[in-house]
Amino acid sequence: MKKLIYIGLSVIACSVVANISLADELEEVIVTSSLIDASANEISNPLHIVNGESISDDASQSLGSLLDGLVGVSSSDFGTGVGQPVIRGLGGSRVKVLNNGKVVRDISSLGPDHANEIDLGHLQQIEIIRGPSSLLYANGAIGGIINVVDNTIAKQDIESTKFNAGGGYENGNSGHAGSASFVGNIDGINLTSSFQYSNLDAYNIPEHALHEEDEHGDHDPKTLENSDFEKTGFKLGLSKVEDWGYVGLSYADSSSTYGIPFHGEHHDHCEEHPDDCEVPVGGGDPVLKEGIEEEEERIFADTDSETINVEGSYNFNSGIVNRADYYIRRTDYVLSEQHAEEHAEEEEEEDHHDEGTIFKNNSNEFGLTLDMGQNTTTQKLTLNIAQEEFSITGDEAFLEPTKSDELTLGYFTSNEFALAHIDFGVRYDQIERKSAAGNYDDNLTSLSATISRELSEKLGISLGVSSVQKAPSSIELFVNGPHLVTQRFEKGDASLSPEKANNIDLVFNTALAGFDANLTFYKNSISNYIYLQDTGAEQEELSVSEYRQQDAIFEGYELELSRSVTLQDGSLEVSVTRDYVDAQFKQGGYIPRTVPTRNILSLGYQGANDLDWLVSIKDVQKQSKVAASETVTDGYQWINFSLSKEIKTSDSEVLKVSFFAKNLLHKVARNHSSYVKDEVPLLGRNIGLKANYSF
């Protein structure tokens, strides 16, 4: 019903503007960082800025999977529906996901099977950023921040009316997707709206992708059970722009249903339905009576997130403060994890649902940023106040309801001196978490600075140092109960200390003999690193695991080498990248689920006739540096190909057709960073076609 409402709203929006004259030219889009309103070169240690158009042309994926091919960025997957981003070996609550500079308040940090609840439709870009400027926007972002940027609330008047409609199909999961969006200005009011959906069936897996000890035995399935994924997103925004600034209001609704392809709970039909079973002659465990088939159990999650956001900016004509940016944000998030037994023998399929587990996170947040920059100096002061209320009820209520209050003050400055360019950021956090299981209250301080200098016309160097503190999450502090996804009885520790990450980044960039090269070395020493440790004991037939702390070191390097060659009808760019992470405890032993070394070769062509193609070969090496409880993960080679063509039907109308092929060789692949890498292989070959019409 909700889906029909959204489609109806989109149709109404189109009809309202049907008689509005369309602009002769589409507005030029310049890719810059939205966080400090400056070019990417002025951001300290940006990793990547990804154009939104390339995202819309790609396959329907999770956030982590979408970014997995970028150097230094990988994914911890749990099937198609879940892919949590990992930056330089750090993930979970150490990587913050933002939407337009505001933290996404979902429950992805509460479990590896929980998706980042972010709508990837109608985007301008995605920014992956580290360094001083990131301290303004999120606390505890030891790994970095990922900012998903859209224009739902327009900050400048929309000059040209624009409508987009698109759709596509991909065969790797018999999936289809569709989208529609509208932007325009009606009587001085900027209006934006977008609708997106994707519906993916269980995905294909290569032959022998499941291990021999899998319950399927001799049967080699072609698809992975319970790996389906369906998602719907709707966004609506209004704004008014004047000389004094702007003010806007937005509403976003995102909902999804996705199968959980592996769960630690064993479903015993005879225990739950004893009348269907009998004890064999001679004794033994009960077995199904003749003629009775065991139900297939489906394990899935339903999510729904609603966000209301009021934001604006006021320009001062004089005084110390140039501009004040502000926002008030309300998010209501619900995830329901359920089991359903499907009785195939009945004429009409009937689903029997258990009570399930209900996760809720309701949050309110206020933010204020004062821009005090003068001439070539950037200065920003920020205040954030946030309140979150977590609760888990039902079958797996392993965490008592928890209320978290956060108060933050942050300062960032960027200045060009004669000898070097210097960025500096400082953040003060006051964090309080209250639960029936205990209380946590602490004050944290984080600092970051980057010094950049051009040593010559073709050689630059940048040194970044930071000391960032991260408070323990609610689950690390207060969890106490069976967490069947990880097959453990997890126990938190209310006395955990904050993590403190002392990080050094050394970056060299050069342009020599037609090549552009970037080489980064980093070392991240984390005091009181929090991790989950198996104790060897058992409780409720599950292995007991406790959250503990010890010092850890993450170090590695990233290499990017590229060259662009001008051809008669376009340009060809060749790039080679390599990233390496070594993650160990100071007292010895590897940190679990560390990402392996990767090499990526890309060849991209941009044609003068609006024909573009890209080939990438990703070589993921074997991960043999494993923790005591882990298994070695084999490496794999993955080839992706994409092709797109723009067809201009008039001066203002464009049809774009995109073709993509993922895992072209249909290779068996596993993410070592995944909790379920052995049971849940990655998607096999996936070929798809998308079309988008813009006018």
Side-chain angles (χ1 to χ4, degrees), residues 473-536:
S473 67
S474 299
I475 194 168
E476 293 165 343
L477 291 166
F478 307 129
V479 65
N480 186 25
H483 194 183
L484 298 178
V485 165
T486 61
Q487 301 182 76
R488 293 174 172 91
F489 191 101
E490 297 182 7
K491 295 185 178 182
D493 184 353
S495 65
L496 291 174
S497 301
E499 293 183 346
K500 185 176 183 179
N502 295 317
N503 186 74
I504 298 177
D505 279 32
L506 182 60
V507 182
F508 298 93
N509 55 78
T510 183
L512 189 63
F515 288 90
D516 293 323
N518 290 277
L519 177 60
T520 302
F521 297 97
Y522 61 88
K523 183 174 182 179
N524 203 352
S525 300
I526 305 178
S527 302
N528 300 318
Y529 181 84
I530 301 172
Y531 63 100
L532 194 61
Q533 175 66 52
D534 292 336
T535 65

Side-chain angles (χ1 to χ4, degrees), residues 43-57:
I43 306 170
S44 52
N45 292 344
L47 294 183
H48 303 282
I49 297 180
V50 183
N51 192 299
E53 189 172 339
S54 64
I55 297 170
S56 63
D57 294 341

Side-chain angles (χ1 to χ4, degrees), residues 394-654:
D395 294 342
E396 294 183 42
F398 52 83
L399 181 69
E400 293 285 348
T402 303
K403 180 179 179 181
S404 295
D405 293 294
E406 302 175 3
L407 171 65
T408 295
L409 290 172
Y411 174 75
F412 169 75
T413 183
S414 178
N415 204 345
E416 186 72 42
F417 295 95
L419 294 177
H421 184 94
I422 298 178
D423 296 328
F424 173 77
V426 60
R427 182 184 183 98
Y428 169 80
D429 293 296
Q430 187 180 78
I431 297 178
E432 182 179 7
R433 310 196 197 283
K434 293 183 178 180
S435 168
N439 296 329
Y440 175 87
D441 190 355
D442 209 343
N443 300 322
L444 311 177
T445 302
S446 300
L447 302 166
S448 182
T450 299
I451 302 174
S452 304
R453 177 177 170 81
E454 297 295 326
L455 300 179
S456 68
E457 185 178 342
K458 295 183 177 181
L459 178 62
I461 186 172
S462 175
L463 175 65
V465 294
S466 63
S467 178
V468 179
Q469 289 189 291
K470 172 191 168 297
S473 67
S474 299
I475 194 168
E476 293 165 343
L477 291 166
F478 307 129
V479 65
N480 186 25
H483 194 183
L484 298 178
V485 165
T486 61
Q487 301 182 76
R488 293 174 172 91
F489 191 101
E490 297 182 7
K491 295 185 178 182
D493 184 353
S495 65
L496 291 174
S497 301
E499 293 183 346
K500 185 176 183 179
N502 295 317
N503 186 74
I504 298 177
D505 279 32
L506 182 60
V507 182
F508 298 93
N509 55 78
T510 183
L512 189 63
F515 288 90
D516 293 323
N518 290 277
L519 177 60
T520 302
F521 297 97
Y522 61 88
K523 183 174 182 179
N524 203 352
S525 300
I526 305 178
S527 302
N528 300 318
Y529 181 84
I530 301 172
Y531 63 100
L532 194 61
Q533 175 66 52
D534 292 336
T535 65
E538 286 193 359
Q539 188 168 341
E540 297 184 11
E541 299 183 353
L542 295 172
S543 174
V544 175
S545 298
E546 298 176 346
Y547 278 99
R548 297 179 180 176
Q549 292 183 298
Q550 63 170 300
D551 297 344
I553 297 178
F554 289 73
E555 56 186 354
Y557 63 85
E558 297 162 357
L559 173 64
E560 299 177 82
L561 183 66
S562 64
R563 181 172 184 176
S564 182
V565 180
T566 301
L567 304 176
Q568 183 177 0
D569 295 325
S571 63
L572 177 68
E573 182 167 332
V574 182
S575 69
V576 178
T577 64
R578 178 180 173 89
D579 53 28
Y580 166 83
V581 180
D582 182 82
Q584 301 186 45
F585 293 111
K586 281 189 176 181
Q587 296 180 353
Y590 292 106
I591 293 175
R593 294 174 296 280
T594 301
V595 295
T597 302
R598 306 181 306 169
N599 304 296
I600 302 175
L601 170 65
S602 298
L603 292 89
Y605 172 79
Q606 291 185 325
N609 56 355
D610 296 320
L611 176 67
D612 302 336
W613 56 260
L614 175 67
V615 177
S616 67
I617 304 173
K618 181 167 64 174
D619 170 43
V620 179
Q621 298 186 1
K622 180 179 181 179
Q623 181 57 288
S624 56
K625 297 180 178 180
V626 296
S629 58
E630 288 187 300
T631 58
V632 172
T633 302
D634 292 333
Y636 62 92
Q637 292 74 44
W638 205 330
I639 298 179
N640 293 337
F641 173 75
S642 64
L643 177 72
S644 65
K645 170 68 176 178
E646 283 191 356
I647 303 171
K648 294 184 178 180
T649 57
S650 71
D651 291 340
S652 59
E653 300 179 10
V654 178

Side-chain angles (χ1 to χ4, degrees), residues 319-346:
I320 298 176
V321 178
N322 301 320
R323 188 179 78 239
D325 301 326
Y326 58 88
Y327 70 87
I328 300 173
R329 188 179 180 95
R330 167 74 181 182
T331 301
D332 294 308
Y333 176 87
V334 179
L335 181 147
S336 173
E337 184 179 304
Q338 298 186 41
H339 297 215
E341 298 170 2
E342 300 176 355
H343 291 259
E345 71 273 10
E346 297 180 10

Side-chain angles (χ1 to χ4, degrees), residues 17-25 160-163 652-653 695:
V17 300
N19 295 320
I20 297 178
S21 176
L22 300 180
D24 292 335
E25 296 182 1
S160 58
T161 300
K162 183 178 177 182
F163 175 74
S652 59
E653 300 179 10
F695 61 91

